[in-house]
């Protein structure tokens, strides 16, 4: 058996990741959001108040990209930003009532998508899969060092 008798793990993972990401984004769009909006709402919700620098790190995007998303979300009435009284260079971000409502819609869409994605896969296989993904992530991170 040669290494090319089946697709390399990385290629298979990349293809699967792309398909799953596109399907997840479509589910979020159908619920009235997008992946960046969901990640922003989720990050703000997980911390009562978060500053923009922390948010960018939690979401995994650059500060300028986050600012673009936050400006749009603030215009839509989903969140507020205010200067931190202890550090005027830092903005604190909080969800509005409309942001809370959209968060809940997107949360339900994410849970339904996850349920659909896991359909027919026993819990023990999912646990093993999570372990394998963690090992692949560690191996990939080690190769970047």
């Amino acid at each position: 058996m040669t290494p090319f008798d089946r697709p390399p793990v990385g290629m298979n993972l990349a293809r699967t990741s792309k398909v799953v990401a596109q399907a997840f984004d479509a589910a979020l769009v159908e619920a009235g959001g997008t992946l960046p909006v969901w990640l922003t709402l989720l990050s703000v919700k997980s911390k009562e108040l978060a500053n923009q620098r922390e948010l960018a790190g939690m979401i995994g995007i650059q500060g300028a990209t986050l600012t673009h998303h936050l400006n749009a979300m603030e215009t839509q009435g989903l969140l507020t930003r205010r200067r931190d009284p202890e550090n005027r260079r830092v903005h604190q971000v909080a969800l509005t009532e409309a942001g809370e409502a959209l968060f809940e819609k997107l949360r339900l869409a994410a849970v339904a998508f996850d349920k659909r994605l896991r359909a027919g896969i026993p819990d023990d296989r999912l646990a093993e899969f999570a372990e394998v993904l963690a090992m692949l992530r560690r191996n990939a991170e080690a190769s970047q060092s």
Side-chain angles (χ1 to χ4, degrees):
M1 182 186 302
T2 70
F4 299 105
D5 287 341
R6 58 185 139 173
V9 172
M11 183 186 300
N12 198 4
L13 182 62
R15 286 179 179 167
T16 302
S17 174
K18 184 175 181 178
V19 169
V20 171
Q22 288 172 339
F24 184 48
D25 195 48
L28 293 173
V29 167
E30 188 175 316
T34 62
L35 185 58
V37 168
W38 167 241
L39 292 174
T40 302
L41 293 173
L42 182 62
S43 296
V44 173
K45 183 79 171 165
S46 69
K47 296 179 91 173
E48 191 62 32
L49 283 175
N51 70 51
Q52 287 184 212
R53 190 171 323 137
E54 291 171 339
L55 270 177
M58 291 169 74
I59 296 170
I61 59 176
Q62 298 295 318
T65 303
L66 177 65
T67 298
H68 170 75
H69 290 304
L70 292 177
N71 287 342
M73 292 174 72
E74 190 171 32
T75 298
Q76 295 167 5
L78 300 174
L79 54 82
T80 60
R81 290 182 287 182
R82 66 178 177 86
R83 295 214 181 265
D84 185 331
E86 295 178 22
N87 183 349
R88 305 260 322 138
R89 294 178 295 165
V90 173
H91 284 91
Q92 295 178 326
V93 183
L95 299 185
T96 63
E97 194 173 308
E100 293 280 353
L102 183 57
F103 169 82
E104 187 57 25
K105 275 183 74 176
L106 296 180
R107 185 189 70 77
L108 292 173
V111 167
F113 180 81
D114 190 63
K115 184 176 179 180
R116 187 178 82 203
L117 199 58
R118 294 167 174 255
I121 306 171
D123 287 344
D124 61 330
R125 299 272 319 266
L126 287 169
E128 183 178 357
F129 179 62
E131 291 174 18
V132 170
L133 285 176
M135 288 187 281
L136 290 170
R137 187 170 43 253
R138 281 193 301 273
N139 290 346
E141 289 169 347
S143 71
Q144 292 177 343
S145 311

mmCIF file with all atom_site columns, all heavy atoms in Angstrom, residues 106-132:
data_model
loop_
_atom_site.group_PDB
_atom_site.id
_atom_site.type_symbol
_atom_site.label_atom_id
_atom_site.label_alt_id
_atom_site.label_comp_id
_atom_site.label_asym_id
_atom_site.label_entity_id
_atom_site.label_seq_id
_atom_site.pdbx_PDB_ins_code
_atom_site.Cartn_x
_atom_site.Cartn_y
_atom_site.Cartn_z
_atom_site.occupancy
_atom_site.B_iso_or_equiv
_atom_site.pdbx_formal_charge
_atom_site.auth_seq_id
_atom_site.auth_comp_id
_atom_site.auth_asym_id
_atom_site.auth_atom_id
_atom_site.pdbx_PDB_model_num
ATOM 1   N N   . LEU A 1 106 ? -29.579 32.408 16.579 1.00 0.00 ? 106 LEU A N   1
ATOM 2   C CA  . LEU A 1 106 ? -28.397 31.754 16.019 1.00 0.00 ? 106 LEU A CA  1
ATOM 3   C C   . LEU A 1 106 ? -27.949 30.576 16.876 1.00 0.00 ? 106 LEU A C   1
ATOM 4   O O   . LEU A 1 106 ? -27.463 29.568 16.351 1.00 0.00 ? 106 LEU A O   1
ATOM 5   C CB  . LEU A 1 106 ? -27.267 32.763 15.836 1.00 0.00 ? 106 LEU A CB  1
ATOM 6   C CG  . LEU A 1 106 ? -27.544 33.890 14.831 1.00 0.00 ? 106 LEU A CG  1
ATOM 7   C CD1 . LEU A 1 106 ? -26.350 34.829 14.736 1.00 0.00 ? 106 LEU A CD1 1
ATOM 8   C CD2 . LEU A 1 106 ? -27.934 33.347 13.470 1.00 0.00 ? 106 LEU A CD2 1
ATOM 9   N N   . ARG A 1 107 ? -28.148 30.681 18.182 1.00 0.00 ? 107 ARG A N   1
ATOM 10  C CA  . ARG A 1 107 ? -27.812 29.556 19.074 1.00 0.00 ? 107 ARG A CA  1
ATOM 11  C C   . ARG A 1 107 ? -28.664 28.346 18.722 1.00 0.00 ? 107 ARG A C   1
ATOM 12  O O   . ARG A 1 107 ? -28.163 27.224 18.611 1.00 0.00 ? 107 ARG A O   1
ATOM 13  C CB  . ARG A 1 107 ? -28.013 29.949 20.544 1.00 0.00 ? 107 ARG A CB  1
ATOM 14  C CG  . ARG A 1 107 ? -27.568 28.848 21.530 1.00 0.00 ? 107 ARG A CG  1
ATOM 15  C CD  . ARG A 1 107 ? -27.985 29.173 22.952 1.00 0.00 ? 107 ARG A CD  1
ATOM 16  N NE  . ARG A 1 107 ? -29.427 29.070 23.121 1.00 0.00 ? 107 ARG A NE  1
ATOM 17  C CZ  . ARG A 1 107 ? -30.112 27.921 23.248 1.00 0.00 ? 107 ARG A CZ  1
ATOM 18  N NH1 . ARG A 1 107 ? -29.489 26.765 23.206 1.00 0.00 ? 107 ARG A NH1 1
ATOM 19  N NH2 . ARG A 1 107 ? -31.421 27.925 23.403 1.00 0.00 ? 107 ARG A NH2 1
ATOM 20  N N   . LEU A 1 108 ? -29.963 28.572 18.526 1.00 0.00 ? 108 LEU A N   1
ATOM 21  C CA  . LEU A 1 108 ? -30.855 27.473 18.154 1.00 0.00 ? 108 LEU A CA  1
ATOM 22  C C   . LEU A 1 108 ? -30.457 26.880 16.800 1.00 0.00 ? 108 LEU A C   1
ATOM 23  O O   . LEU A 1 108 ? -30.482 25.655 16.621 1.00 0.00 ? 108 LEU A O   1
ATOM 24  C CB  . LEU A 1 108 ? -32.309 27.950 18.136 1.00 0.00 ? 108 LEU A CB  1
ATOM 25  C CG  . LEU A 1 108 ? -32.907 28.304 19.498 1.00 0.00 ? 108 LEU A CG  1
ATOM 26  C CD1 . LEU A 1 108 ? -34.288 28.920 19.331 1.00 0.00 ? 108 LEU A CD1 1
ATOM 27  C CD2 . LEU A 1 108 ? -32.946 27.095 20.418 1.00 0.00 ? 108 LEU A CD2 1
ATOM 28  N N   . ALA A 1 109 ? -30.072 27.731 15.848 1.00 0.00 ? 109 ALA A N   1
ATOM 29  C CA  . ALA A 1 109 ? -29.626 27.246 14.538 1.00 0.00 ? 109 ALA A CA  1
ATOM 30  C C   . ALA A 1 109 ? -28.336 26.433 14.681 1.00 0.00 ? 109 ALA A C   1
ATOM 31  O O   . ALA A 1 109 ? -28.188 25.389 14.036 1.00 0.00 ? 109 ALA A O   1
ATOM 32  C CB  . ALA A 1 109 ? -29.416 28.419 13.583 1.00 0.00 ? 109 ALA A CB  1
ATOM 33  N N   . ALA A 1 110 ? -27.418 26.888 15.519 1.00 0.00 ? 110 ALA A N   1
ATOM 34  C CA  . ALA A 1 110 ? -26.152 26.170 15.724 1.00 0.00 ? 110 ALA A CA  1
ATOM 35  C C   . ALA A 1 110 ? -26.396 24.818 16.386 1.00 0.00 ? 110 ALA A C   1
ATOM 36  O O   . ALA A 1 110 ? -25.792 23.807 15.999 1.00 0.00 ? 110 ALA A O   1
ATOM 37  C CB  . ALA A 1 110 ? -25.202 27.017 16.565 1.00 0.00 ? 110 ALA A CB  1
ATOM 38  N N   . VAL A 1 111 ? -27.283 24.780 17.357 1.00 0.00 ? 111 VAL A N   1
ATOM 39  C CA  . VAL A 1 111 ? -27.604 23.518 18.039 1.00 0.00 ? 111 VAL A CA  1
ATOM 40  C C   . VAL A 1 111 ? -28.276 22.546 17.060 1.00 0.00 ? 111 VAL A C   1
ATOM 41  O O   . VAL A 1 111 ? -27.927 21.361 17.016 1.00 0.00 ? 111 VAL A O   1
ATOM 42  C CB  . VAL A 1 111 ? -28.501 23.772 19.275 1.00 0.00 ? 111 VAL A CB  1
ATOM 43  C CG1 . VAL A 1 111 ? -29.100 22.482 19.819 1.00 0.00 ? 111 VAL A CG1 1
ATOM 44  C CG2 . VAL A 1 111 ? -27.708 24.496 20.362 1.00 0.00 ? 111 VAL A CG2 1
ATOM 45  N N   . ALA A 1 112 ? -29.199 23.043 16.257 1.00 0.00 ? 112 ALA A N   1
ATOM 46  C CA  . ALA A 1 112 ? -29.873 22.185 15.274 1.00 0.00 ? 112 ALA A CA  1
ATOM 47  C C   . ALA A 1 112 ? -28.871 21.672 14.243 1.00 0.00 ? 112 ALA A C   1
ATOM 48  O O   . ALA A 1 112 ? -28.913 20.490 13.857 1.00 0.00 ? 112 ALA A O   1
ATOM 49  C CB  . ALA A 1 112 ? -31.002 22.959 14.583 1.00 0.00 ? 112 ALA A CB  1
ATOM 50  N N   . PHE A 1 113 ? -27.946 22.530 13.802 1.00 0.00 ? 113 PHE A N   1
ATOM 51  C CA  . PHE A 1 113 ? -26.932 22.104 12.839 1.00 0.00 ? 113 PHE A CA  1
ATOM 52  C C   . PHE A 1 113 ? -26.044 21.028 13.451 1.00 0.00 ? 113 PHE A C   1
ATOM 53  O O   . PHE A 1 113 ? -25.742 20.024 12.813 1.00 0.00 ? 113 PHE A O   1
ATOM 54  C CB  . PHE A 1 113 ? -26.086 23.303 12.378 1.00 0.00 ? 113 PHE A CB  1
ATOM 55  C CG  . PHE A 1 113 ? -25.024 22.903 11.394 1.00 0.00 ? 113 PHE A CG  1
ATOM 56  C CD1 . PHE A 1 113 ? -25.332 22.735 10.059 1.00 0.00 ? 113 PHE A CD1 1
ATOM 57  C CD2 . PHE A 1 113 ? -23.724 22.680 11.813 1.00 0.00 ? 113 PHE A CD2 1
ATOM 58  C CE1 . PHE A 1 113 ? -24.366 22.346 9.146  1.00 0.00 ? 113 PHE A CE1 1
ATOM 59  C CE2 . PHE A 1 113 ? -22.743 22.292 10.906 1.00 0.00 ? 113 PHE A CE2 1
ATOM 60  C CZ  . PHE A 1 113 ? -23.067 22.125 9.571  1.00 0.00 ? 113 PHE A CZ  1
ATOM 61  N N   . ASP A 1 114 ? -25.626 21.241 14.687 1.00 0.00 ? 114 ASP A N   1
ATOM 62  C CA  . ASP A 1 114 ? -24.779 20.271 15.369 1.00 0.00 ? 114 ASP A CA  1
ATOM 63  C C   . ASP A 1 114 ? -25.485 18.921 15.487 1.00 0.00 ? 114 ASP A C   1
ATOM 64  O O   . ASP A 1 114 ? -24.879 17.877 15.252 1.00 0.00 ? 114 ASP A O   1
ATOM 65  C CB  . ASP A 1 114 ? -24.373 20.794 16.748 1.00 0.00 ? 114 ASP A CB  1
ATOM 66  C CG  . ASP A 1 114 ? -23.313 19.933 17.393 1.00 0.00 ? 114 ASP A CG  1
ATOM 67  O OD1 . ASP A 1 114 ? -22.199 19.848 16.837 1.00 0.00 ? 114 ASP A OD1 1
ATOM 68  O OD2 . ASP A 1 114 ? -23.595 19.333 18.451 1.00 0.00 ? 114 ASP A OD2 1
ATOM 69  N N   . LYS A 1 115 ? -26.771 18.964 15.812 1.00 0.00 ? 115 LYS A N   1
ATOM 70  C CA  . LYS A 1 115 ? -27.552 17.724 15.925 1.00 0.00 ? 115 LYS A CA  1
ATOM 71  C C   . LYS A 1 115 ? -27.607 17.009 14.577 1.00 0.00 ? 115 LYS A C   1
ATOM 72  O O   . LYS A 1 115 ? -27.433 15.788 14.502 1.00 0.00 ? 115 LYS A O   1
ATOM 73  C CB  . LYS A 1 115 ? -28.964 18.042 16.426 1.00 0.00 ? 115 LYS A CB  1
ATOM 74  C CG  . LYS A 1 115 ? -29.819 16.838 16.677 1.00 0.00 ? 115 LYS A CG  1
ATOM 75  C CD  . LYS A 1 115 ? -31.170 17.224 17.251 1.00 0.00 ? 115 LYS A CD  1
ATOM 76  C CE  . LYS A 1 115 ? -32.011 15.994 17.477 1.00 0.00 ? 115 LYS A CE  1
ATOM 77  N NZ  . LYS A 1 115 ? -33.325 16.325 18.025 1.00 0.00 ? 115 LYS A NZ  1
ATOM 78  N N   . ARG A 1 116 ? -27.822 17.777 13.516 1.00 0.00 ? 116 ARG A N   1
ATOM 79  C CA  . ARG A 1 116 ? -27.865 17.199 12.165 1.00 0.00 ? 116 ARG A CA  1
ATOM 80  C C   . ARG A 1 116 ? -26.504 16.618 11.784 1.00 0.00 ? 116 ARG A C   1
ATOM 81  O O   . ARG A 1 116 ? -26.414 15.543 11.197 1.00 0.00 ? 116 ARG A O   1
ATOM 82  C CB  . ARG A 1 116 ? -28.287 18.282 11.167 1.00 0.00 ? 116 ARG A CB  1
ATOM 83  C CG  . ARG A 1 116 ? -28.535 17.753 9.771  1.00 0.00 ? 116 ARG A CG  1
ATOM 84  C CD  . ARG A 1 116 ? -29.000 18.831 8.832  1.00 0.00 ? 116 ARG A CD  1
ATOM 85  N NE  . ARG A 1 116 ? -27.815 19.544 8.359  1.00 0.00 ? 116 ARG A NE  1
ATOM 86  C CZ  . ARG A 1 116 ? -27.815 20.770 7.883  1.00 0.00 ? 116 ARG A CZ  1
ATOM 87  N NH1 . ARG A 1 116 ? -28.928 21.455 7.822  1.00 0.00 ? 116 ARG A NH1 1
ATOM 88  N NH2 . ARG A 1 116 ? -26.704 21.328 7.466  1.00 0.00 ? 116 ARG A NH2 1
ATOM 89  N N   . LEU A 1 117 ? -25.442 17.314 12.149 1.00 0.00 ? 117 LEU A N   1
ATOM 90  C CA  . LEU A 1 117 ? -24.089 16.874 11.813 1.00 0.00 ? 117 LEU A CA  1
ATOM 91  C C   . LEU A 1 117 ? -23.727 15.574 12.531 1.00 0.00 ? 117 LEU A C   1
ATOM 92  O O   . LEU A 1 117 ? -23.045 14.717 11.984 1.00 0.00 ? 117 LEU A O   1
ATOM 93  C CB  . LEU A 1 117 ? -23.104 17.988 12.201 1.00 0.00 ? 117 LEU A CB  1
ATOM 94  C CG  . LEU A 1 117 ? -21.724 17.983 11.574 1.00 0.00 ? 117 LEU A CG  1
ATOM 95  C CD1 . LEU A 1 117 ? -21.812 18.043 10.057 1.00 0.00 ? 117 LEU A CD1 1
ATOM 96  C CD2 . LEU A 1 117 ? -20.923 19.156 12.099 1.00 0.00 ? 117 LEU A CD2 1
ATOM 97  N N   . ARG A 1 118 ? -24.211 15.420 13.768 1.00 0.00 ? 118 ARG A N   1
ATOM 98  C CA  . ARG A 1 118 ? -23.884 14.244 14.578 1.00 0.00 ? 118 ARG A CA  1
ATOM 99  C C   . ARG A 1 118 ? -24.810 13.053 14.305 1.00 0.00 ? 118 ARG A C   1
ATOM 100 O O   . ARG A 1 118 ? -24.570 11.971 14.837 1.00 0.00 ? 118 ARG A O   1
ATOM 101 C CB  . ARG A 1 118 ? -24.019 14.595 16.065 1.00 0.00 ? 118 ARG A CB  1
ATOM 102 C CG  . ARG A 1 118 ? -23.017 15.599 16.552 1.00 0.00 ? 118 ARG A CG  1
ATOM 103 C CD  . ARG A 1 118 ? -23.436 16.099 17.937 1.00 0.00 ? 118 ARG A CD  1
ATOM 104 N NE  . ARG A 1 118 ? -22.453 16.948 18.511 1.00 0.00 ? 118 ARG A NE  1
ATOM 105 C CZ  . ARG A 1 118 ? -21.623 16.599 19.487 1.00 0.00 ? 118 ARG A CZ  1
ATOM 106 N NH1 . ARG A 1 118 ? -21.693 15.392 20.002 1.00 0.00 ? 118 ARG A NH1 1
ATOM 107 N NH2 . ARG A 1 118 ? -20.735 17.432 19.954 1.00 0.00 ? 118 ARG A NH2 1
ATOM 108 N N   . ALA A 1 119 ? -25.832 13.241 13.505 1.00 0.00 ? 119 ALA A N   1
ATOM 109 C CA  . ALA A 1 119 ? -26.841 12.200 13.273 1.00 0.00 ? 119 ALA A CA  1
ATOM 110 C C   . ALA A 1 119 ? -26.199 10.879 12.865 1.00 0.00 ? 119 ALA A C   1
ATOM 111 O O   . ALA A 1 119 ? -25.364 10.824 11.970 1.00 0.00 ? 119 ALA A O   1
ATOM 112 C CB  . ALA A 1 119 ? -27.841 12.644 12.209 1.00 0.00 ? 119 ALA A CB  1
ATOM 113 N N   . GLY A 1 120 ? -26.576 9.820  13.568 1.00 0.00 ? 120 GLY A N   1
ATOM 114 C CA  . GLY A 1 120 ? -26.120 8.476  13.241 1.00 0.00 ? 120 GLY A CA  1
ATOM 115 C C   . GLY A 1 120 ? -24.728 8.132  13.719 1.00 0.00 ? 120 GLY A C   1
ATOM 116 O O   . GLY A 1 120 ? -24.234 7.041  13.451 1.00 0.00 ? 120 GLY A O   1
ATOM 117 N N   . ILE A 1 121 ? -24.077 9.046  14.413 1.00 0.00 ? 121 ILE A N   1
ATOM 118 C CA  . ILE A 1 121 ? -22.716 8.788  14.907 1.00 0.00 ? 121 ILE A CA  1
ATOM 119 C C   . ILE A 1 121 ? -22.786 8.555  16.412 1.00 0.00 ? 121 ILE A C   1
ATOM 120 O O   . ILE A 1 121 ? -23.185 9.447  17.157 1.00 0.00 ? 121 ILE A O   1
ATOM 121 C CB  . ILE A 1 121 ? -21.760 9.958  14.589 1.00 0.00 ? 121 ILE A CB  1
ATOM 122 C CG1 . ILE A 1 121 ? -21.791 10.287 13.095 1.00 0.00 ? 121 ILE A CG1 1
ATOM 123 C CG2 . ILE A 1 121 ? -20.342 9.617  15.050 1.00 0.00 ? 121 ILE A CG2 1
ATOM 124 C CD1 . ILE A 1 121 ? -21.043 11.557 12.730 1.00 0.00 ? 121 ILE A CD1 1
ATOM 125 N N   . PRO A 1 122 ? -22.408 7.372  16.877 1.00 0.00 ? 122 PRO A N   1
ATOM 126 C CA  . PRO A 1 122 ? -22.467 7.083  18.316 1.00 0.00 ? 122 PRO A CA  1
ATOM 127 C C   . PRO A 1 122 ? -21.540 8.016  19.122 1.00 0.00 ? 122 PRO A C   1
ATOM 128 O O   . PRO A 1 122 ? -20.499 8.456  18.621 1.00 0.00 ? 122 PRO A O   1
ATOM 129 C CB  . PRO A 1 122 ? -21.986 5.632  18.426 1.00 0.00 ? 122 PRO A CB  1
ATOM 130 C CG  . PRO A 1 122 ? -22.070 5.067  17.043 1.00 0.00 ? 122 PRO A CG  1
ATOM 131 C CD  . PRO A 1 122 ? -21.935 6.222  16.096 1.00 0.00 ? 122 PRO A CD  1
ATOM 132 N N   . ASP A 1 123 ? -21.929 8.287  20.358 1.00 0.00 ? 123 ASP A N   1
ATOM 133 C CA  . ASP A 1 123 ? -21.165 9.190  21.223 1.00 0.00 ? 123 ASP A CA  1
ATOM 134 C C   . ASP A 1 123 ? -19.709 8.764  21.393 1.00 0.00 ? 123 ASP A C   1
ATOM 135 O O   . ASP A 1 123 ? -18.817 9.608  21.415 1.00 0.00 ? 123 ASP A O   1
ATOM 136 C CB  . ASP A 1 123 ? -21.833 9.315  22.604 1.00 0.00 ? 123 ASP A CB  1
ATOM 137 C CG  . ASP A 1 123 ? -23.097 10.142 22.558 1.00 0.00 ? 123 ASP A CG  1
ATOM 138 O OD1 . ASP A 1 123 ? -23.314 10.871 21.561 1.00 0.00 ? 123 ASP A OD1 1
ATOM 139 O OD2 . ASP A 1 123 ? -23.879 10.061 23.524 1.00 0.00 ? 123 ASP A OD2 1
ATOM 140 N N   . ASP A 1 124 ? -19.463 7.457  21.500 1.00 0.00 ? 124 ASP A N   1
ATOM 141 C CA  . ASP A 1 124 ? -18.078 7.010  21.694 1.00 0.00 ? 124 ASP A CA  1
ATOM 142 C C   . ASP A 1 124 ? -17.222 7.309  20.463 1.00 0.00 ? 124 ASP A C   1
ATOM 143 O O   . ASP A 1 124 ? -16.049 7.658  20.581 1.00 0.00 ? 124 ASP A O   1
ATOM 144 C CB  . ASP A 1 124 ? -18.015 5.530  22.073 1.00 0.00 ? 124 ASP A CB  1
ATOM 145 C CG  . ASP A 1 124 ? -18.594 4.598  21.018 1.00 0.00 ? 124 ASP A CG  1
ATOM 146 O OD1 . ASP A 1 124 ? -19.525 5.003  20.280 1.00 0.00 ? 124 ASP A OD1 1
ATOM 147 O OD2 . ASP A 1 124 ? -18.121 3.449  20.936 1.00 0.00 ? 124 ASP A OD2 1
ATOM 148 N N   . ARG A 1 125 ? -17.818 7.220  19.271 1.00 0.00 ? 125 ARG A N   1
ATOM 149 C CA  . ARG A 1 125 ? -17.069 7.559  18.042 1.00 0.00 ? 125 ARG A CA  1
ATOM 150 C C   . ARG A 1 125 ? -16.805 9.059  17.974 1.00 0.00 ? 125 ARG A C   1
ATOM 151 O O   . ARG A 1 125 ? -15.741 9.483  17.526 1.00 0.00 ? 125 ARG A O   1
ATOM 152 C CB  . ARG A 1 125 ? -17.847 7.121  16.794 1.00 0.00 ? 125 ARG A CB  1
ATOM 153 C CG  . ARG A 1 125 ? -18.129 5.641  16.673 1.00 0.00 ? 125 ARG A CG  1
ATOM 154 C CD  . ARG A 1 125 ? -17.066 4.800  15.992 1.00 0.00 ? 125 ARG A CD  1
ATOM 155 N NE  . ARG A 1 125 ? -16.414 5.318  14.831 1.00 0.00 ? 125 ARG A NE  1
ATOM 156 C CZ  . ARG A 1 125 ? -16.766 5.100  13.565 1.00 0.00 ? 125 ARG A CZ  1
ATOM 157 N NH1 . ARG A 1 125 ? -17.824 4.366  13.288 1.00 0.00 ? 125 ARG A NH1 1
ATOM 158 N NH2 . ARG A 1 125 ? -16.065 5.587  12.566 1.00 0.00 ? 125 ARG A NH2 1
ATOM 159 N N   . LEU A 1 126 ? -17.785 9.863  18.415 1.00 0.00 ? 126 LEU A N   1
ATOM 160 C CA  . LEU A 1 126 ? -17.590 11.318 18.435 1.00 0.00 ? 126 LEU A CA  1
ATOM 161 C C   . LEU A 1 126 ? -16.483 11.710 19.408 1.00 0.00 ? 126 LEU A C   1
ATOM 162 O O   . LEU A 1 126 ? -15.668 12.591 19.109 1.00 0.00 ? 126 LEU A O   1
ATOM 163 C CB  . LEU A 1 126 ? -18.891 12.041 18.795 1.00 0.00 ? 126 LEU A CB  1
ATOM 164 C CG  . LEU A 1 126 ? -19.947 12.060 17.700 1.00 0.00 ? 126 LEU A CG  1
ATOM 165 C CD1 . LEU A 1 126 ? -21.272 12.544 18.252 1.00 0.00 ? 126 LEU A CD1 1
ATOM 166 C CD2 . LEU A 1 126 ? -19.492 12.914 16.527 1.00 0.00 ? 126 LEU A CD2 1
ATOM 167 N N   . ALA A 1 127 ? -16.437 11.047 20.561 1.00 0.00 ? 127 ALA A N   1
ATOM 168 C CA  . ALA A 1 127 ? -15.391 11.327 21.546 1.00 0.00 ? 127 ALA A CA  1
ATOM 169 C C   . ALA A 1 127 ? -14.023 10.963 20.973 1.00 0.00 ? 127 ALA A C   1
ATOM 170 O O   . ALA A 1 127 ? -13.055 11.728 21.123 1.00 0.00 ? 127 ALA A O   1
ATOM 171 C CB  . ALA A 1 127 ? -15.659 10.564 22.840 1.00 0.00 ? 127 ALA A CB  1
ATOM 172 N N   . GLU A 1 128 ? -13.937 9.819  20.311 1.00 0.00 ? 128 GLU A N   1
ATOM 173 C CA  . GLU A 1 128 ? -12.676 9.412  19.692 1.00 0.00 ? 128 GLU A CA  1
ATOM 174 C C   . GLU A 1 128 ? -12.277 10.397 18.585 1.00 0.00 ? 128 GLU A C   1
ATOM 175 O O   . GLU A 1 128 ? -11.110 10.772 18.455 1.00 0.00 ? 128 GLU A O   1
ATOM 176 C CB  . GLU A 1 128 ? -12.814 7.997  19.119 1.00 0.00 ? 128 GLU A CB  1
ATOM 177 C CG  . GLU A 1 128 ? -11.537 7.463  18.523 1.00 0.00 ? 128 GLU A CG  1
ATOM 178 C CD  . GLU A 1 128 ? -11.689 6.038  17.992 1.00 0.00 ? 128 GLU A CD  1
ATOM 179 O OE1 . GLU A 1 128 ? -12.774 5.446  18.128 1.00 0.00 ? 128 GLU A OE1 1
ATOM 180 O OE2 . GLU A 1 128 ? -10.714 5.549  17.412 1.00 0.00 ? 128 GLU A OE2 1
ATOM 181 N N   . PHE A 1 129 ? -13.254 10.828 17.802 1.00 0.00 ? 129 PHE A N   1
ATOM 182 C CA  . PHE A 1 129 ? -13.002 11.790 16.734 1.00 0.00 ? 129 PHE A CA  1
ATOM 183 C C   . PHE A 1 129 ? -12.463 13.105 17.308 1.00 0.00 ? 129 PHE A C   1
ATOM 184 O O   . PHE A 1 129 ? -11.525 13.689 16.760 1.00 0.00 ? 129 PHE A O   1
ATOM 185 C CB  . PHE A 1 129 ? -14.285 12.030 15.937 1.00 0.00 ? 129 PHE A CB  1
ATOM 186 C CG  . PHE A 1 129 ? -14.156 13.022 14.829 1.00 0.00 ? 129 PHE A CG  1
ATOM 187 C CD1 . PHE A 1 129 ? -13.287 12.801 13.776 1.00 0.00 ? 129 PHE A CD1 1
ATOM 188 C CD2 . PHE A 1 129 ? -14.911 14.185 14.832 1.00 0.00 ? 129 PHE A CD2 1
ATOM 189 C CE1 . PHE A 1 129 ? -13.168 13.726 12.735 1.00 0.00 ? 129 PHE A CE1 1
ATOM 190 C CE2 . PHE A 1 129 ? -14.806 15.103 13.810 1.00 0.00 ? 129 PHE A CE2 1
ATOM 191 C CZ  . PHE A 1 129 ? -13.932 14.878 12.756 1.00 0.00 ? 129 PHE A CZ  1
ATOM 192 N N   . ALA A 1 130 ? -13.043 13.562 18.408 1.00 0.00 ? 130 ALA A N   1
ATOM 193 C CA  . ALA A 1 130 ? -12.566 14.793 19.049 1.00 0.00 ? 130 ALA A CA  1
ATOM 194 C C   . ALA A 1 130 ? -11.110 14.646 19.485 1.00 0.00 ? 130 ALA A C   1
ATOM 195 O O   . ALA A 1 130 ? -10.309 15.576 19.343 1.00 0.00 ? 130 ALA A O   1
ATOM 196 C CB  . ALA A 1 130 ? -13.457 15.150 20.238 1.00 0.00 ? 130 ALA A CB  1
ATOM 197 N N   . GLU A 1 131 ? -10.760 13.473 19.996 1.00 0.00 ? 131 GLU A N   1
ATOM 198 C CA  . GLU A 1 131 ? -9.367  13.218 20.395 1.00 0.00 ? 131 GLU A CA  1
ATOM 199 C C   . GLU A 1 131 ? -8.433  13.238 19.189 1.00 0.00 ? 131 GLU A C   1
ATOM 200 O O   . GLU A 1 131 ? -7.347  13.809 19.250 1.00 0.00 ? 131 GLU A O   1
ATOM 201 C CB  . GLU A 1 131 ? -9.261  11.874 21.120 1.00 0.00 ? 131 GLU A CB  1
ATOM 202 C CG  . GLU A 1 131 ? -9.908  11.850 22.481 1.00 0.00 ? 131 GLU A CG  1
ATOM 203 C CD  . GLU A 1 131 ? -9.921  10.464 23.103 1.00 0.00 ? 131 GLU A CD  1
ATOM 204 O OE1 . GLU A 1 131 ? -9.152  9.584  22.650 1.00 0.00 ? 131 GLU A OE1 1
ATOM 205 O OE2 . GLU A 1 131 ? -10.697 10.255 24.050 1.00 0.00 ? 131 GLU A OE2 1
ATOM 206 N N   . VAL A 1 132 ? -8.867  12.626 18.089 1.00 0.00 ? 132 VAL A N   1
ATOM 207 C CA  . VAL A 1 132 ? -8.044  12.602 16.878 1.00 0.00 ? 132 VAL A CA  1
ATOM 208 C C   . VAL A 1 132 ? -7.872  14.025 16.336 1.00 0.00 ? 132 VAL A C   1
ATOM 209 O O   . VAL A 1 132 ? -6.772  14.428 15.951 1.00 0.00 ? 132 VAL A O   1
ATOM 210 C CB  . VAL A 1 132 ? -8.645  11.660 15.810 1.00 0.00 ? 132 VAL A CB  1
ATOM 211 C CG1 . VAL A 1 132 ? -7.927  11.814 14.468 1.00 0.00 ? 132 VAL A CG1 1
ATOM 212 C CG2 . VAL A 1 132 ? -8.588  10.215 16.291 1.00 0.00 ? 132 VAL A CG2 1
#
